[in-house]
Amino acid sequence: MIKAEWFFWLVGAIFLVMAAQMAADRTNPRRLGTAAFWGLLGVGFVYSTWVVDKSAPPEPLGAAVLAMVCLAGFGFTGRGAARTATPEQRAASAARFGSRLFVPALTIPLVALICAVGVKRLSVGGEPVLQKGSETVLGLGIGSLVALAVGMVMLRERRPSTPLHAGRSMLESMGWAMLLPQLLATLGAIFSAAGVGDQVRRITTSVLPDGSVFLAVVAYCVGMFLFTVVMGNGFAAFPVMTAAVGWPVLVEQAHGNPAAVLAVGMLAGFCGTLVTPMAANYNVVPAALLELKDQYGPIKAQLPTAFILLGCNIAIMYAFAV
């Protein structure tokens, strides 16, 4: 059986190899801090396996996370000059291959879909080929490996170090912001466990007039929007606002369609993703990778779309979900 942990270990190993490259890169004035940051992340991917099965204490993992926060927060990470193709070489390659360059990228969702739908049904000796409950994650990992092989064959690249150097260059370009979505999703779980959703529910139910379904819809959608702006992640906002308004008011009291209410509520949260720098992977990282002069350019361009879509989601939920 192919286990999800194997791919987590592989990801951790890749981070460790890249951390070693960063430590040896003297073009980066903060090479040791950068290497320590990504090295701690790589160790965390491996060590967390033993934390989950309770064979190792979680405190070292927490200490590693705090150390990473300090390294990034106090500016001990930087960017070096990775050995990759020159801009001229990349331009020539793009002109040569054209739209075929999208083939490796499209390979990932294709393989993930095949694994999640087809391979999950296969078994050998009574055991499933893919670990049960992790078919999608495994499909994503297998798809990435297949896409890497397809890309190297298509581009006739024989040096395995080339994708590592290119990946390190992108990793350093994105920096600590790449981890922000995962940290914010964890924050949402903490808020939910701390009872923030219950407190918000008490406030909203005391303010909303009895029987006003429309105002409840507005409160849920706008709440999802605002919490996503604060947390930077719709998945982090979802448990809080659903526990506060979505389930108790719109589903239980107003007898709304649970699937429709929660799906449209999530879409309302995604509208908030368009307008917040906290959604770093969606708004800040692309600006950094494209070297835009205005790092908030994507957010400014997306503002009208975000508010129009928020209004549409409110109308759809009120008309069809409740």
Side-chain angles (χ1 to χ4, degrees), residues 52-131:
V52 171
D53 64 18
K54 298 182 179 180
S55 61
E59 287 80 7
L61 192 59
V65 172
L66 293 176
M68 291 171 61
V69 171
C70 293
L71 288 170
F74 290 105
F76 289 109
T77 60
R79 181 180 180 182
R83 297 194 298 272
T84 61
T86 64
E88 293 76 14
Q89 290 174 325
R90 290 196 292 268
S93 179
R96 176 185 175 188
F97 290 98
S99 299
R100 286 181 293 169
L101 289 173
F102 289 100
V103 171
L106 295 175
T107 300
I108 298 176
L110 177 61
V111 174
L113 179 63
I114 293 173
C115 290
V117 176
V119 180
K120 68 178 295 185
R121 303 175 185 274
L122 300 179
S123 61
V124 177
E127 291 288 335
V129 175
L130 303 180
Q131 182 179 349

Side-chain angles (χ1 to χ4, degrees), residues 262-289:
L262 303 185
V264 178
M266 181 63 80
L267 290 175
F270 290 157
C271 295
T273 304
L274 297 174
V275 300
T276 175
M278 295 295 286
N281 62 322
Y282 199 85
N283 297 322
V284 178
V285 169
L289 291 176

Side-chain angles (χ1 to χ4, degrees), residues 86-196:
T86 64
E88 293 76 14
Q89 290 174 325
R90 290 196 292 268
S93 179
R96 176 185 175 188
F97 290 98
S99 299
R100 286 181 293 169
L101 289 173
F102 289 100
V103 171
L106 295 175
T107 300
I108 298 176
L110 177 61
V111 174
L113 179 63
I114 293 173
C115 290
V117 176
V119 180
K120 68 178 295 185
R121 303 175 185 274
L122 300 179
S123 61
V124 177
E127 291 288 335
V129 175
L130 303 180
Q131 182 179 349
K132 189 175 181 180
S134 301
E135 294 88 357
T136 302
V137 173
L138 287 169
L140 182 62
I142 295 171
S144 299
L145 295 177
V146 172
L148 174 62
V150 169
M152 294 187 70
V153 171
M154 188 177 72
L155 299 176
R156 298 178 181 178
E157 178 59 61
R158 298 180 179 179
R159 295 169 297 178
S161 61
T162 298
L164 282 174
H165 285 295
R168 175 170 72 88
S169 177
M170 182 170 291
L171 198 65
E172 291 180 338
S173 298
M174 293 186 291
W176 60 265
M178 190 187 77
L179 302 180
L180 191 57
Q182 288 77 17
L183 297 176
L184 293 172
T186 304
L187 179 63
I190 294 174
F191 275 23
S192 179
V196 175

Side-chain angles (χ1 to χ4, degrees), residues 11-43:
V11 171
I14 292 173
F15 279 130
L16 290 172
V17 171
M18 290 183 176
Q21 292 178 333
M22 296 169 186
D25 184 6
R26 298 188 177 277
T27 63
N28 183 356
R30 299 183 178 91
R31 60 191 179 92
L32 296 181
T34 306
F37 181 89
W38 296 108
L40 286 172
L41 181 62
V43 171

